[in-house]
């Protein structure tokens, strides 16, 4: 194994702010956690935007369901801090019911205009039959709503005019999109050095560390990185100027 290339992340020129939009509080752990750490280490300011509260899963019956959103939000804020991310926005939609509606699109456009990222990372809006859990309907909805927000709404001052009229949020053009869980990745981030810190986020799930490691190895092999390296894979799209 080569020791020269400890870091390998190709960040498009001009990217100083990145926005990660996911459906559920823990989605970033599955396929983008190491990448977020690499971005932060490279000096990129990262914001998380989480569409649902993840209130449909992860607890036994002894927990009052009404408490779950607050618990999940607190967990995510703590997890984000481990990634070096202190700005976490919650849209508060109901877990399991997310749709790329105009309400969701407008809420994402609002966050994009507030944060003004050059790079957006989200979940693939296309179903991946090889990795169906990546294509949970909420994930595809988050990816679709984000894609629609990116083009054209966020850059069109006349889309959702209330954002401009009532909140003073001007149009903003995002340059790059990275989709996680896509069937045809074309951009890989070497996440080897971040694996331990990242895997510690998922210790509550048995065998998950092994699963994440084997995914990472598969992606690194696809990227033709040296044996022993780990990677996360994205479909990178250059958005129109
Ligand atoms: Zn999820």
């Amino acid at each position: 194994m080569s020791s020269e290339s400890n870091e390998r992340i190709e960040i498009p020129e001009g990217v100083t702010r990145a926005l990660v939009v996911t459906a559920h509080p823990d989605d970033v752990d599955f396929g983008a956690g190491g990448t977020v750490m690499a971005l932060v280490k490279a000096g990129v300011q990262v914001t998380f935007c989480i569409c649902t509260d993840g209130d449909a899963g992860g607890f036994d019956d002894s927990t009052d369901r009404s408490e779950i959103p607050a618990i999940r939000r607190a967990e995510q804020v703590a997890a984000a801090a481990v990634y070096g991310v202190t700005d976490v926005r919650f849209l508060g939609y109901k877990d399991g019911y997310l749709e790329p509606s105009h309400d969701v699109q407008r809420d994402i456009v609002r966050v994009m205009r507030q944060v003004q990222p050059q790079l957006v990372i989200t979940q693939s809006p296309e179903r991946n039959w090889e990795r169906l859990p990546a294509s949970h309907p909420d994930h595809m909805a988050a990816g679709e709503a984000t894609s629609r927000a990116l083009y054209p709404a966020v850059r069109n001052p006349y889309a959702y005019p209330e954002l401009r009229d009532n909140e003073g949020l001007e149009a903003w053009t995002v340059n790059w999109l990275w989709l996680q869980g896509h069937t045809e990745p074309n951009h890989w981030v070497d996440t080897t050095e971040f694996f331990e810190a990242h895997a510690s986020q998922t210790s509550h799930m048995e065998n998950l560390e092994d699963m994440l490691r084997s995914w990472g190895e598969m992606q690194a092999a696809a990227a033709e990185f040296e044996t022993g390296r780990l990677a996360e894979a994205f479909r990178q799209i250059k958005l129109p100027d």
Side-chain angles (χ1 to χ4, degrees):
M1 177 179 133
S2 160
S3 59
E4 298 151 18
S5 49
N6 283 326
E7 290 167 44
R8 192 159 11 193
I9 176 165
E10 285 173 42
I11 301 170
E13 206 182 319
V15 171
T16 59
R17 292 181 298 276
L19 175 67
V20 182
V21 184
T22 65
H24 305 124
D26 59 358
D27 289 342
V28 78
D29 301 333
F30 301 88
T35 297
V36 167
M37 288 184 181
L39 286 167
V40 169
K41 190 179 175 197
V44 176
Q45 205 178 314
V46 179
T47 299
F48 288 167
C49 173
I50 299 160
C51 299
T52 79
D53 286 326
D55 46 316
F59 289 92
D60 56 46
D61 287 343
S62 66
T63 306
D64 183 341
R65 304 297 303 180
S66 67
E67 293 172 11
I68 291 174
I71 294 172
R72 298 300 300 264
R73 286 187 185 206
E75 281 175 354
Q76 186 56 43
V77 168
V82 172
Y83 291 129
V85 175
T86 53
D87 187 2
V88 185
R89 321 272 176 114
F90 298 95
L91 300 187
Y93 287 91
K94 196 166 162 43
D95 189 356
Y97 292 81
L98 194 65
E99 297 284 350
S101 65
H102 282 289
D103 283 345
V104 175
Q105 288 176 59
R106 184 202 55 235
D107 287 354
I108 293 172
V109 167
R110 174 187 289 113
V111 174
M112 286 177 178
R113 289 189 184 175
Q114 289 169 338
V115 172
Q116 301 187 329
Q118 298 90 4
L119 167 66
V120 167
I121 300 175
T122 192
Q123 296 165 298
S124 176
E126 296 168 59
R127 184 173 276 109
N128 183 341
W129 290 108
E130 308 303 317
R131 263 183 64 192
L132 205 50
S135 302
H136 184 294
D138 283 355
H139 298 180
M140 291 197 297
E144 180 63 30
T146 303
S147 302
R148 293 186 196 184
L150 283 170
Y151 194 89
V154 68
R155 63 175 65 197
N156 178 358
Y158 307 107
Y160 308 118
E162 63 272 28
L163 294 177
R164 200 158 161 250
D165 296 345
N166 304 338
E167 301 176 41
L169 293 169
E170 298 294 340
W172 174 258
T173 297
V174 178
N175 312 108
W176 297 93
L177 171 62
W178 291 1
L179 295 173
Q180 86 185 71
H182 197 270
T183 47
E184 293 176 0
N186 60 0
H187 193 78
W188 289 269
V189 177
D190 187 327
T191 53
T192 315
E193 71 171 294
F194 305 105
F195 185 77
E196 293 304 330
H198 170 210
S200 72
Q201 286 308 298
T202 50
S203 55
H204 58 288
M205 280 178 69
E206 223 178 312
N207 299 329
L208 195 62
E209 183 168 339
D210 291 342
M211 193 177 84
L212 284 175
R213 184 179 291 282
S214 71
W215 282 353
E217 286 169 352
M218 271 165 49
Q219 298 299 354
E224 301 182 346
F225 292 170
E226 299 88 344
T227 307
R229 308 301 294 179
L230 303 171
E232 290 173 346
F234 301 90
R235 182 76 192 181
Q236 174 174 271
I237 293 120
K238 170 77 177 81
L239 299 165
D241 290 331

